[in-house]
Coordinates of all heavy atoms in Angstrom, one line a residue:
P1 N -12.2 -36.2 -104.8 CA -12.5 -37.3 -104.0 C -11.6 -37.6 -102.8 O -12.0 -38.1 -101.8 CB -12.6 -38.5 -105.0 CG -12.2 -38.0 -106.3 CD -12.0 -36.5 -106.2
F2 N -10.3 -37.3 -103.0 CA -9.3 -37.5 -102.0 C -9.7 -36.8 -100.7 O -9.6 -37.3 -99.6 CB -7.9 -37.2 -102.4 CG -6.9 -37.7 -101.5 CD1 -6.6 -39.1 -101.4 CD2 -6.2 -36.9 -100.7 CE1 -5.6 -39.6 -100.5 CE2 -5.2 -37.3 -99.8 CZ -4.9 -38.7 -99.7
D3 N -10.1 -35.5 -100.9 CA -10.5 -34.7 -99.7 C -11.6 -35.4 -98.9 O -11.7 -35.3 -97.7 CB -11.0 -33.3 -100.1 CG -9.8 -32.5 -100.6 OD1 -8.6 -32.8 -100.3 OD2 -10.1 -31.5 -101.3
N4 N -12.6 -36.0 -99.6 CA -13.7 -36.7 -98.9 C -13.2 -37.9 -98.1 O -13.7 -38.1 -97.0 CB -14.7 -37.2 -100.0 CG -15.4 -36.1 -100.6 OD1 -14.8 -35.2 -101.2 ND2 -16.7 -36.1 -100.5
V5 N -12.2 -38.6 -98.6 CA -11.7 -39.8 -97.9 C -10.9 -39.3 -96.7 O -11.1 -39.8 -95.6 CB -10.8 -40.6 -98.8 CG1 -10.1 -41.7 -98.1 CG2 -11.6 -41.1 -100.0
V6 N -10.1 -38.2 -96.8 CA -9.4 -37.7 -95.7 C -10.3 -37.1 -94.7 O -10.2 -37.3 -93.5 CB -8.4 -36.6 -96.2 CG1 -7.7 -36.0 -95.0 CG2 -7.3 -37.3 -97.0
S7 N -11.4 -36.5 -95.1 CA -12.4 -35.9 -94.2 C -13.1 -37.0 -93.4 O -13.3 -36.9 -92.2 CB -13.4 -35.1 -94.9 OG -12.8 -33.9 -95.5
R8 N -13.4 -38.1 -94.1 CA -14.0 -39.2 -93.3 C -13.0 -39.8 -92.3 O -13.5 -40.1 -91.2 CB -14.4 -40.4 -94.3 CG -15.0 -41.5 -93.6 CD -15.6 -42.5 -94.5 NE -16.2 -43.6 -93.7 CZ -15.9 -44.9 -93.8 NH1 -15.0 -45.2 -94.7 NH2 -16.4 -45.8 -93.1
F9 N -11.8 -39.9 -92.6 CA -10.8 -40.3 -91.6 C -10.8 -39.4 -90.4 O -10.8 -39.8 -89.3 CB -9.4 -40.3 -92.3 CG -8.2 -40.5 -91.4 CD1 -8.1 -41.7 -90.6 CD2 -7.2 -39.6 -91.3 CE1 -7.0 -41.9 -89.7 CE2 -6.2 -39.7 -90.4 CZ -6.0 -40.9 -89.7
H10 N -10.8 -38.1 -90.7 CA -10.8 -37.1 -89.5 C -12.1 -37.2 -88.7 O -12.0 -37.1 -87.5 CB -10.6 -35.7 -90.1 CG -9.2 -35.4 -90.5 ND1 -8.1 -35.4 -89.6 CD2 -8.6 -35.2 -91.7 CE1 -7.0 -35.2 -90.3 NE2 -7.3 -35.1 -91.5
L11 N -13.2 -37.4 -89.4 CA -14.5 -37.6 -88.7 C -14.4 -38.8 -87.8 O -14.9 -38.7 -86.6 CB -15.6 -37.7 -89.7 CG -17.0 -37.8 -89.1 CD1 -17.4 -36.6 -88.3 CD2 -18.0 -38.1 -90.2
E12 N -13.9 -39.9 -88.3 CA -13.8 -41.1 -87.5 C -12.9 -40.8 -86.3 O -13.2 -41.3 -85.2 CB -13.2 -42.2 -88.4 CG -13.1 -43.5 -87.7 CD -14.2 -44.4 -88.1 OE1 -15.0 -44.1 -89.0 OE2 -14.3 -45.5 -87.5
R13 N -11.8 -40.1 -86.5 CA -10.8 -39.8 -85.4 C -11.6 -39.0 -84.3 O -11.3 -39.3 -83.1 CB -9.6 -39.0 -85.9 CG -8.5 -39.9 -86.5 CD -7.3 -39.1 -86.8 NE -6.8 -38.4 -85.6 CZ -6.0 -38.9 -84.6 NH1 -5.7 -40.2 -84.7 NH2 -5.6 -38.2 -83.6
H14 N -12.4 -38.1 -84.7 CA -13.1 -37.3 -83.7 C -14.0 -38.1 -82.8 O -14.1 -37.8 -81.6 CB -13.9 -36.2 -84.4 CG -13.1 -35.1 -84.9 ND1 -12.4 -34.2 -84.1 CD2 -12.8 -34.7 -86.2 CE1 -11.7 -33.3 -84.9 NE2 -12.0 -33.6 -86.1
S15 N -14.6 -39.2 -83.3 CA -15.4 -40.0 -82.5 C -14.5 -40.8 -81.5 O -14.9 -41.0 -80.3 CB -16.2 -41.0 -83.3 OG -15.4 -42.0 -83.9
Y16 N -13.3 -41.1 -81.9 CA -12.4 -41.8 -81.0 C -11.8 -40.8 -80.0 O -11.4 -41.2 -78.8 CB -11.3 -42.6 -81.7 CG -11.9 -43.8 -82.3 CD1 -12.3 -43.9 -83.7 CD2 -12.1 -45.0 -81.6 CE1 -12.9 -45.0 -84.2 CE2 -12.6 -46.2 -82.1 CZ -13.0 -46.1 -83.4 OH -13.6 -47.3 -84.0
I17 N -11.7 -39.6 -80.4 CA -11.2 -38.5 -79.4 C -12.2 -38.4 -78.3 O -11.9 -38.3 -77.2 CB -10.9 -37.2 -80.2 CG1 -9.6 -37.4 -81.0 CG2 -10.8 -36.1 -79.2 CD1 -9.4 -36.2 -82.0
R18 N -13.5 -38.3 -78.7 CA -14.6 -38.1 -77.8 C -14.6 -39.3 -76.8 O -14.9 -39.1 -75.6 CB -15.9 -38.0 -78.5 CG -16.3 -36.6 -78.9 CD -17.7 -36.5 -79.4 NE -18.1 -37.6 -80.3 CZ -18.1 -37.5 -81.6 NH1 -17.6 -36.4 -82.2 NH2 -18.5 -38.5 -82.4
D19 N -14.3 -40.5 -77.3 CA -14.3 -41.7 -76.5 C -13.0 -41.9 -75.7 O -12.9 -42.8 -74.9 CB -14.6 -42.9 -77.3 CG -16.0 -42.9 -77.9 OD1 -16.9 -42.2 -77.4 OD2 -16.2 -43.7 -78.9
N20 N -12.1 -41.0 -76.0 CA -10.7 -41.1 -75.3 C -10.1 -42.4 -75.6 O -9.4 -43.0 -74.7 CB -10.8 -40.8 -73.8 CG -9.5 -40.4 -73.3 OD1 -8.6 -39.9 -74.0 ND2 -9.3 -40.7 -72.0
D21 N -10.2 -42.9 -76.8 CA -9.6 -44.2 -77.2 C -8.2 -44.0 -77.7 O -7.9 -43.9 -78.9 CB -10.5 -44.9 -78.3 CG -10.0 -46.3 -78.6 OD1 -8.9 -46.6 -78.3 OD2 -10.8 -47.1 -79.1
T22 N -7.3 -43.8 -76.7 CA -5.9 -43.5 -77.1 C -5.2 -44.6 -77.9 O -4.4 -44.3 -78.7 CB -5.1 -43.2 -75.8 OG1 -5.2 -44.3 -74.9 CG2 -5.6 -42.0 -75.1
E23 N -5.6 -45.8 -77.7 CA -5.0 -46.9 -78.5 C -5.3 -46.7 -80.0 O -4.4 -46.8 -80.8 CB -5.5 -48.3 -78.0 CG -4.8 -49.4 -78.7 CD -5.3 -50.8 -78.2 OE1 -5.8 -50.9 -77.0 OE2 -5.3 -51.8 -79.0
W24 N -6.6 -46.5 -80.3 CA -7.0 -46.3 -81.7 C -6.3 -45.0 -82.3 O -5.8 -45.0 -83.4 CB -8.5 -46.2 -81.8 CG -9.0 -46.3 -83.2 CD1 -9.5 -47.4 -83.8 CD2 -9.1 -45.2 -84.2 NE1 -9.9 -47.1 -85.1 CE2 -9.6 -45.8 -85.4 CE3 -8.7 -43.9 -84.2 CZ2 -9.9 -45.0 -86.5 CZ3 -8.9 -43.1 -85.4 CH2 -9.5 -43.7 -86.5
L25 N -6.3 -44.0 -81.5 CA -5.7 -42.7 -81.9 C -4.2 -42.8 -82.2 O -3.7 -42.2 -83.1 CB -6.0 -41.6 -80.9 CG -7.5 -41.2 -80.8 CD1 -7.7 -40.4 -79.5 CD2 -8.0 -40.6 -82.0
E26 N -3.5 -43.6 -81.4 CA -2.1 -43.8 -81.7 C -1.9 -44.7 -82.9 O -0.9 -44.4 -83.7 CB -1.4 -44.5 -80.5 CG -1.3 -43.6 -79.3 CD -0.7 -44.3 -78.0 OE1 -0.2 -45.4 -78.2 OE2 -0.9 -43.7 -77.0
K27 N -2.7 -45.7 -83.1 CA -2.5 -46.6 -84.2 C -2.8 -45.8 -85.5 O -2.2 -46.1 -86.6 CB -3.5 -47.8 -84.1 CG -3.3 -48.8 -85.1 CD -4.2 -50.0 -84.8 CE -3.9 -51.2 -85.7 NZ -4.7 -52.4 -85.4
Y28 N -3.8 -44.9 -85.5 CA -4.3 -44.2 -86.7 C -4.0 -42.7 -86.5 O -5.0 -41.9 -86.4 CB -5.7 -44.5 -87.0 CG -6.0 -46.0 -87.2 CD1 -6.8 -46.7 -86.2 CD2 -5.4 -46.7 -88.2 CE1 -7.0 -48.0 -86.3 CE2 -5.6 -48.1 -88.3 CZ -6.4 -48.7 -87.4 OH -6.6 -50.1 -87.5
S29 N -2.8 -42.4 -86.4 CA -2.4 -41.0 -86.2 C -2.6 -40.1 -87.4 O -3.0 -40.6 -88.5 CB -0.9 -40.9 -85.8 OG -0.1 -41.6 -86.9
T30 N -2.5 -38.8 -87.2 CA -2.9 -37.9 -88.3 C -1.7 -37.6 -89.3 O -1.6 -36.5 -89.8 CB -3.4 -36.5 -87.7 OG1 -2.4 -36.0 -86.9 CG2 -4.7 -36.7 -87.0
D31 N -0.9 -38.6 -89.4 CA 0.2 -38.4 -90.4 C 0.0 -39.5 -91.5 O -1.0 -40.2 -91.6 CB 1.6 -38.6 -89.7 CG 1.7 -39.9 -89.0 OD1 0.9 -40.8 -89.2 OD2 2.7 -40.0 -88.3
F32 N 1.0 -39.5 -92.5 CA 0.9 -40.4 -93.6 C 0.7 -41.8 -93.2 O -0.2 -42.6 -93.7 CB 2.1 -40.2 -94.5 CG 2.2 -41.2 -95.6 CD1 1.5 -40.9 -96.8 CD2 2.9 -42.4 -95.6 CE1 1.5 -41.7 -97.9 CE2 2.9 -43.2 -96.6 CZ 2.3 -42.9 -97.8
D33 N 1.5 -42.3 -92.2 CA 1.5 -43.7 -91.8 C 0.2 -44.0 -91.1 O -0.4 -45.1 -91.3 CB 2.7 -43.9 -90.8 CG 4.0 -43.9 -91.5 OD1 4.1 -44.1 -92.7 OD2 5.0 -43.6 -90.8
G34 N -0.4 -43.1 -90.3 CA -1.6 -43.3 -89.6 C -2.8 -43.4 -90.6 O -3.7 -44.3 -90.5
F35 N -2.8 -42.6 -91.6 CA -3.8 -42.6 -92.7 C -3.7 -43.9 -93.5 O -4.7 -44.5 -93.8 CB -3.7 -41.4 -93.6 CG -4.8 -41.3 -94.6 CD1 -6.1 -41.1 -94.3 CD2 -4.4 -41.5 -96.0 CE1 -7.1 -41.1 -95.3 CE2 -5.4 -41.5 -97.0 CZ -6.7 -41.3 -96.6
Q36 N -2.5 -44.3 -93.8 CA -2.3 -45.5 -94.6 C -2.8 -46.7 -93.8 O -3.4 -47.6 -94.3 CB -0.8 -45.7 -95.0 CG -0.4 -44.7 -96.1 CD -1.0 -45.0 -97.4 OE1 -1.1 -46.1 -97.8 NE2 -1.5 -43.9 -98.1
A37 N -2.5 -46.7 -92.5 CA -2.9 -47.8 -91.6 C -4.4 -47.9 -91.6 O -5.0 -49.0 -91.6 CB -2.3 -47.7 -90.2
Y38 N -5.1 -46.7 -91.5 CA -6.5 -46.7 -91.4 C -7.1 -47.2 -92.7 O -8.0 -48.0 -92.7 CB -6.9 -45.2 -91.2 CG -8.4 -44.9 -91.4 CD1 -9.3 -45.3 -90.4 CD2 -8.9 -44.3 -92.5 CE1 -10.7 -45.0 -90.5 CE2 -10.3 -44.1 -92.7 CZ -11.1 -44.4 -91.7 OH -12.5 -44.2 -91.8
C39 N -6.6 -46.8 -93.9 CA -7.0 -47.3 -95.2 C -6.8 -48.8 -95.3 O -7.7 -49.5 -95.7 CB -6.3 -46.6 -96.3 SG -6.9 -44.9 -96.6
K40 N -5.7 -49.3 -94.8 CA -5.4 -50.7 -94.9 C -6.4 -51.5 -94.0 O -7.0 -52.5 -94.4 CB -4.0 -51.0 -94.4 CG -3.6 -52.5 -94.5 CD -2.2 -52.7 -94.1 CE -1.9 -54.2 -94.4 NZ -1.0 -54.8 -93.5
M41 N -6.7 -51.0 -92.8 CA -7.7 -51.6 -92.0 C -9.1 -51.7 -92.6 O -9.7 -52.7 -92.6 CB -7.8 -50.8 -90.6 CG -8.9 -51.3 -89.7 SD -10.5 -50.6 -89.8 CE -10.2 -48.9 -89.5
L42 N -9.5 -50.6 -93.3 CA -10.8 -50.6 -94.0 C -10.8 -51.5 -95.1 O -11.8 -52.3 -95.3 CB -11.1 -49.2 -94.5 CG -11.6 -48.2 -93.5 CD1 -12.0 -46.8 -94.2 CD2 -12.9 -48.7 -92.7
D43 N -9.7 -51.5 -95.9 CA -9.7 -52.4 -97.1 C -9.7 -53.9 -96.7 O -10.4 -54.7 -97.3 CB -8.4 -52.1 -97.9 CG -8.3 -50.8 -98.5 OD1 -9.4 -50.1 -98.6 OD2 -7.3 -50.3 -98.9
E44 N -9.1 -54.2 -95.6 CA -9.1 -55.6 -95.1 C -10.4 -56.0 -94.5 O -10.9 -57.1 -94.6 CB -7.9 -55.8 -94.1 CG -6.6 -55.8 -94.8 CD -5.4 -55.8 -93.8 OE1 -5.7 -55.7 -92.5 OE2 -4.3 -55.9 -94.2
K45 N -11.0 -55.0 -93.9 CA -12.3 -55.2 -93.2 C -13.4 -55.7 -94.1 O -14.3 -56.5 -93.7 CB -12.7 -53.9 -92.5 CG -14.0 -54.0 -91.7 CD -14.3 -52.7 -91.0 CE -15.6 -52.8 -90.1 NZ -15.8 -51.5 -89.4
Y46 N -13.4 -55.2 -95.3 CA -14.5 -55.5 -96.3 C -14.2 -56.4 -97.4 O -14.9 -56.6 -98.3 CB -15.0 -54.1 -96.8 CG -15.6 -53.3 -95.8 CD1 -15.0 -52.1 -95.3 CD2 -16.8 -53.6 -95.1 CE1 -15.5 -51.3 -94.3 CE2 -17.4 -52.8 -94.1 CZ -16.7 -51.7 -93.7 OH -17.3 -50.9 -92.7
V47 N -13.0 -57.1 -97.3 CA -12.6 -58.0 -98.4 C -13.7 -59.1 -98.7 O -14.1 -59.2 -99.8 CB -11.2 -58.7 -98.1 CG1 -11.0 -59.8 -99.0 CG2 -10.1 -57.7 -98.1
E48 N -14.1 -59.7 -97.7 CA -15.1 -60.8 -97.9 C -16.4 -60.3 -98.4 O -17.0 -60.9 -99.3 CB -15.3 -61.5 -96.5 CG -16.2 -62.8 -96.7 CD -16.3 -63.5 -95.4 OE1 -15.3 -63.6 -94.6 OE2 -17.4 -64.1 -95.1
E49 N -16.8 -59.2 -97.9 CA -18.1 -58.6 -98.4 C -18.0 -58.2 -99.9 O -18.9 -58.4 -100.7 CB -18.4 -57.3 -97.5 CG -19.7 -56.7 -97.8 CD -20.0 -55.6 -96.9 OE1 -19.7 -55.7 -95.7 OE2 -20.6 -54.6 -97.3
E50 N -16.8 -57.6 -100.2 CA -16.6 -57.2 -101.6 C -16.6 -58.5 -102.5 O -17.1 -58.4 -103.7 CB -15.3 -56.4 -101.8 CG -15.4 -55.1 -101.1 CD -14.0 -54.4 -101.0 OE1 -13.0 -55.0 -101.4 OE2 -14.0 -53.2 -100.6
E51 N -15.9 -59.5 -102.1 CA -15.8 -60.8 -102.9 C -17.2 -61.4 -103.1 O -17.4 -62.0 -104.2 CB -14.9 -61.8 -102.3 CG -13.5 -61.3 -102.3 CD -12.5 -62.3 -101.5 OE1 -13.0 -63.1 -100.8 OE2 -11.3 -62.1 -101.7
E52 N -18.1 -61.2 -102.2 CA -19.4 -61.8 -102.3 C -20.5 -60.9 -103.0 O -21.6 -61.3 -103.3 CB -19.9 -62.2 -100.9 CG -19.1 -63.3 -100.3 CD -19.5 -63.6 -98.9 OE1 -20.4 -63.0 -98.3 OE2 -18.9 -64.5 -98.3
S53 N -20.1 -59.6 -103.2 CA -21.0 -58.6 -103.7 C -21.4 -58.9 -105.2 O -20.5 -59.2 -106.0 CB -20.4 -57.2 -103.7 OG -21.3 -56.3 -104.3
R54 N -22.7 -58.9 -105.5 CA -23.1 -59.0 -106.9 C -22.9 -57.8 -107.7 O -23.0 -57.8 -108.9 CB -24.6 -59.5 -106.9 CG -25.5 -58.4 -106.4 CD -26.9 -59.0 -106.3 NE -27.8 -58.0 -105.7 CZ -28.7 -57.3 -106.3 NH1 -28.9 -57.4 -107.6 NH2 -29.5 -56.5 -105.6
F55 N -22.5 -56.7 -107.0 CA -22.3 -55.4 -107.7 C -20.8 -55.2 -108.1 O -20.5 -54.4 -108.9 CB -22.7 -54.2 -106.8 CG -24.1 -54.3 -106.5 CD1 -24.5 -54.6 -105.2 CD2 -25.1 -54.0 -107.4 CE1 -25.8 -54.7 -104.8 CE2 -26.5 -54.1 -107.0 CZ -26.8 -54.4 -105.8
L56 N -19.9 -56.0 -107.6 CA -18.5 -55.9 -107.9 C -18.0 -57.1 -108.5 O -17.7 -58.2 -107.9 CB -17.7 -55.7 -106.6 CG -18.1 -54.5 -105.7 CD1 -17.3 -54.5 -104.4 CD2 -17.9 -53.2 -106.4
D57 N -17.7 -57.1 -109.8 CA -17.2 -58.2 -110.5 C -15.7 -58.2 -110.4 O -15.1 -57.3 -109.8 CB -17.6 -58.2 -112.0 CG -17.2 -57.0 -112.8 OD1 -16.1 -56.4 -112.4 OD2 -17.8 -56.7 -113.8
D58 N -15.0 -59.3 -111.0 CA -13.6 -59.4 -110.8 C -12.8 -58.2 -111.4 O -11.8 -57.8 -110.9 CB -13.1 -60.7 -111.5 CG -13.6 -62.0 -110.7 OD1 -14.0 -61.8 -109.6 OD2 -13.7 -63.0 -111.4
D59 N -13.3 -57.7 -112.5 CA -12.7 -56.6 -113.1 C -12.6 -55.3 -112.2 O -11.6 -54.6 -112.1 CB -13.3 -56.2 -114.5 CG -13.1 -57.3 -115.5 OD1 -12.1 -58.0 -115.4 OD2 -14.0 -57.4 -116.4
V60 N -13.7 -55.1 -111.6 CA -13.8 -53.9 -110.7 C -12.9 -54.2 -109.5 O -12.1 -53.3 -109.1 CB -15.3 -53.7 -110.2 CG1 -15.3 -52.6 -109.1 CG2 -16.1 -53.2 -111.4
R61 N -13.0 -55.4 -108.9 CA -12.1 -55.7 -107.8 C -10.6 -55.6 -108.1 O -9.8 -55.1 -107.3 CB -12.5 -57.0 -107.2 CG -13.7 -57.0 -106.3 CD -13.9 -58.2 -105.5 NE -13.9 -59.5 -106.2 CZ -15.0 -59.9 -106.9 NH1 -16.2 -59.3 -106.8 NH2 -15.0 -61.1 -107.5
A62 N -10.3 -55.9 -109.4 CA -8.9 -55.8 -109.8 C -8.4 -54.3 -109.8 O -7.3 -54.0 -109.5 CB -8.7 -56.4 -111.2
L63 N -9.4 -53.5 -110.1 CA -9.0 -52.0 -110.2 C -8.8 -51.5 -108.7 O -8.0 -50.5 -108.6 CB -10.2 -51.2 -110.8 CG -10.5 -51.5 -112.3 CD1 -11.7 -50.7 -112.7 CD2 -9.3 -51.0 -113.1
F64 N -9.3 -52.2 -107.7 CA -9.1 -51.7 -106.4 C -7.7 -52.0 -105.9 O -7.2 -51.3 -104.9 CB -10.0 -52.5 -105.4 CG -11.5 -52.1 -105.5 CD1 -12.4 -53.0 -105.0 CD2 -11.9 -51.0 -106.2 CE1 -13.8 -52.6 -105.0 CE2 -13.2 -50.7 -106.3 CZ -14.2 -51.5 -105.7
E65 N -7.0 -53.0 -106.5 CA -5.7 -53.4 -106.0 C -4.7 -52.2 -106.0 O -4.5 -51.5 -106.9 CB -5.1 -54.5 -106.9 CG -5.9 -55.8 -106.7 CD -5.3 -56.9 -107.5 OE1 -4.1 -56.9 -107.8 OE2 -6.1 -57.8 -107.9
G66 N -4.1 -52.0 -104.8 CA -3.1 -50.9 -104.6 C -3.7 -49.5 -104.4 O -3.0 -48.6 -104.3
V67 N -5.0 -49.5 -104.3 CA -5.7 -48.2 -104.0 C -6.1 -48.1 -102.6 O -7.0 -48.9 -102.2 CB -6.9 -48.0 -104.9 CG1 -7.6 -46.6 -104.6 CG2 -6.5 -48.0 -106.4
P68 N -5.4 -47.3 -101.8 CA -5.8 -47.2 -100.3 C -7.2 -46.6 -100.2 O -7.6 -45.7 -100.9 CB -4.7 -46.3 -99.7 CG -4.0 -45.7 -100.8 CD -4.3 -46.4 -102.1
C69 N -7.9 -47.2 -99.3 CA -9.3 -46.7 -99.0 C -10.2 -46.8 -100.2 O -11.1 -46.0 -100.5 CB -9.4 -45.3 -98.5 SG -8.9 -45.1 -96.7
H70 N -10.0 -47.9 -101.0 CA -10.7 -48.0 -102.3 C -12.2 -48.0 -102.2 O -12.9 -47.5 -103.0 CB -10.2 -49.3 -103.1 CG -10.5 -50.6 -102.4 ND1 -9.6 -51.2 -101.6 CD2 -11.6 -51.3 -102.3 CE1 -10.1 -52.3 -101.1 NE2 -11.4 -52.4 -101.5
G71 N -12.7 -48.5 -101.1 CA -14.1 -48.6 -100.8 C -14.7 -47.2 -100.8 O -15.8 -46.9 -101.3
D72 N -14.0 -46.3 -100.2 CA -14.5 -44.9 -100.1 C -14.5 -44.2 -101.5 O -15.4 -43.5 -101.8 CB -13.7 -44.1 -99.1 CG -14.1 -44.3 -97.7 OD1 -15.2 -44.9 -97.5 OD2 -13.4 -43.8 -96.8
F73 N -13.5 -44.5 -102.3 CA -13.4 -44.0 -103.6 C -14.6 -44.5 -104.5 O -15.2 -43.8 -105.3 CB -12.1 -44.2 -104.3 CG -11.0 -43.3 -103.7 CD1 -10.0 -43.8 -102.9 CD2 -10.9 -42.0 -104.1 CE1 -9.0 -43.0 -102.4 CE2 -9.9 -41.1 -103.5 CZ -9.0 -41.7 -102.7
Y74 N -14.8 -45.8 -104.3 CA -15.9 -46.5 -105.0 C -17.3 -45.8 -104.6 O -18.1 -45.5 -105.5 CB -15.9 -48.0 -104.8 CG -17.0 -48.7 -105.5 CD1 -16.9 -49.0 -106.8 CD2 -18.2 -49.1 -104.8 CE1 -17.9 -49.7 -107.5 CE2 -19.2 -49.7 -105.5 CZ -19.0 -50.0 -106.9 OH -20.0 -50.7 -107.5
K75 N -17.5 -45.7 -103.3 CA -18.7 -45.0 -102.9 C -18.9 -43.6 -103.4 O -20.0 -43.2 -103.8 CB -18.7 -45.0 -101.3 CG -18.9 -46.3 -100.6 CD -18.9 -46.0 -99.1 CE -18.4 -47.2 -98.4 NZ -18.2 -47.0 -97.0
Y76 N -17.8 -42.9 -103.5 CA -17.8 -41.5 -104.0 C -18.2 -41.6 -105.5 O -19.1 -40.8 -105.9 CB -16.5 -40.9 -103.9 CG -16.4 -39.5 -104.4 CD1 -16.7 -38.4 -103.5 CD2 -16.0 -39.2 -105.7 CE1 -16.6 -37.1 -104.0 CE2 -15.9 -37.9 -106.1 CZ -16.2 -36.9 -105.3 OH -16.1 -35.6 -105.7
A77 N -17.6 -42.4 -106.3 CA -17.9 -42.5 -107.7 C -19.4 -43.0 -107.9 O -20.1 -42.5 -108.8 CB -17.0 -43.5 -108.4
Q78 N -19.8 -44.0 -107.1 CA -21.2 -44.5 -107.2 C -22.2 -43.4 -106.9 O -23.2 -43.3 -107.6 CB -21.4 -45.7 -106.3 CG -20.8 -47.0 -106.9 CD -21.6 -47.4 -108.2 OE1 -21.1 -47.1 -109.3 NE2 -22.7 -48.0 -108.0
W79 N -21.9 -42.7 -105.8 CA -22.9 -41.6 -105.4 C -23.1 -40.6 -106.6 O -24.2 -40.3 -106.9 CB -22.4 -40.9 -104.2 CG -23.4 -40.0 -103.6 CD1 -24.3 -40.2 -102.6 CD2 -23.6 -38.6 -104.0 NE1 -25.1 -39.1 -102.4 CE2 -24.7 -38.1 -103.2 CE3 -23.0 -37.8 -104.9 CZ2 -25.1 -36.8 -103.3 CZ3 -23.5 -36.4 -105.1 CH2 -24.5 -36.0 -104.3
H80 N -21.9 -40.2 -107.2 CA -22.0 -39.2 -108.2 C -22.7 -39.8 -109.5 O -23.4 -39.1 -110.2 CB -20.7 -38.6 -108.5 CG -20.3 -37.6 -107.5 ND1 -19.7 -38.0 -106.3 CD2 -20.4 -36.3 -107.4 CE1 -19.5 -36.9 -105.6 NE2 -19.9 -35.9 -106.2
T81 N -22.4 -41.0 -109.8 CA -23.0 -41.7 -111.0 C -24.5 -41.8 -110.8 O -25.2 -41.4 -111.7 CB -22.4 -43.1 -111.1 OG1 -21.0 -43.0 -111.4 CG2 -23.0 -43.8 -112.3
L82 N -24.9 -42.2 -109.6 CA -26.3 -42.3 -109.4 C -27.0 -41.0 -109.3 O -28.2 -40.8 -109.7 CB -26.6 -43.1 -108.1 CG -26.2 -44.6 -108.1 CD1 -26.3 -45.2 -106.8 CD2 -27.0 -45.4 -109.2
A83 N -26.3 -39.9 -108.8 CA -26.9 -38.6 -108.8 C -27.2 -38.1 -110.2 O -28.2 -37.5 -110.5 CB -26.0 -37.6 -108.1
V84 N -26.2 -38.3 -111.1 CA -26.4 -37.9 -112.5 C -27.5 -38.7 -113.2 O -28.4 -38.2 -113.9 CB -25.1 -38.1 -113.3 CG1 -25.3 -38.0 -114.8 CG2 -24.0 -37.1 -112.8
E85 N -27.6 -40.0 -112.9 CA -28.7 -40.9 -113.5 C -30.0 -40.4 -113.0 O -31.0 -40.4 -113.7 CB -28.4 -42.3 -113.1 CG -27.3 -43.0 -113.9 CD -27.1 -44.4 -113.5 OE1 -28.0 -45.0 -112.8 OE2 -26.1 -45.0 -114.0
T86 N -30.1 -40.0 -111.7 CA -31.4 -39.5 -111.1 C -31.8 -38.2 -111.8 O -33.0 -38.0 -112.1 CB -31.2 -39.4 -109.6 OG1 -30.9 -40.6 -109.0 CG2 -32.5 -38.9 -109.0
R87 N -30.8 -37.4 -112.0 CA -31.1 -36.1 -112.6 C -31.6 -36.3 -114.1 O -32.5 -35.6 -114.5 CB -29.8 -35.2 -112.6 CG -30.0 -33.8 -113.2 CD -28.8 -33.2 -113.6 NE -28.2 -33.9 -114.7 CZ -27.0 -33.8 -115.1 NH1 -26.1 -33.1 -114.5 NH2 -26.6 -34.4 -116.2
D88 N -31.1 -37.2 -114.8 CA -31.5 -37.5 -116.2 C -32.7 -38.2 -116.2 O -33.6 -38.2 -116.8 CB -30.4 -38.2 -116.9 CG -29.1 -37.4 -117.0 OD1 -29.1 -36.2 -116.9 OD2 -28.0 -38.1 -117.2

């Protein structure tokens, strides 16, 4: 799953490269700090939506704490869970 999260980060960067958005590219560089900043931005962006979601109870949200890009990991797990359920 980590490869998927990193790939999404690189895909996002490519769109900003095409747009020549140097400010975004400097803020979210292709090193550890840039990736961590990107994850932090995503995690903060969806806090309110996660708190209001009927699909995420307090226990699930507690598991997110300290996990960078937790939303992408959750999506990855949900996709695979639903794929298995569909198959069965």
Side-chain angles (χ1 to χ4, degrees):
F2 191 72
D3 290 342
N4 291 57
V5 176
V6 173
S7 292
R8 178 167 181 240
F9 170 62
H10 286 294
L11 181 65
E12 184 98 7
R13 276 189 56 80
H14 286 293
S15 69
Y16 286 96
I17 289 169
R18 277 192 308 270
D19 294 341
N20 198 30
D21 188 338
T22 55
E23 183 179 336
W24 193 97
L25 294 168
E26 288 175 17
K27 187 173 184 180
Y28 306 112
S29 55
T30 56
D31 58 9
F32 177 83
D33 293 332
F35 180 68
Q36 290 291 315
Y38 172 76
C39 286
K40 184 176 185 211
M41 177 268 300
L42 282 182
D43 293 344
E44 291 172 353
K45 182 177 181 179
Y46 296 108
V47 166
E48 189 174 319
E49 188 176 320
E50 291 170 357
E51 289 174 352
E52 295 174 0
S53 174
R54 64 186 173 106
F55 300 107
L56 303 174
D57 61 25
D58 292 340
D59 293 334
V60 171
R61 284 194 301 278
L63 294 172
F64 291 164
E65 290 180 27
V67 178
C69 285
H70 63 263
D72 280 349
F73 287 106
Y74 181 78
K75 288 179 208 172
Y76 181 89
Q78 280 297 96
W79 188 94
H80 285 84
T81 299
L82 294 172
V84 169
E85 286 179 10
T86 301
R87 183 196 70 197
D88 295 341

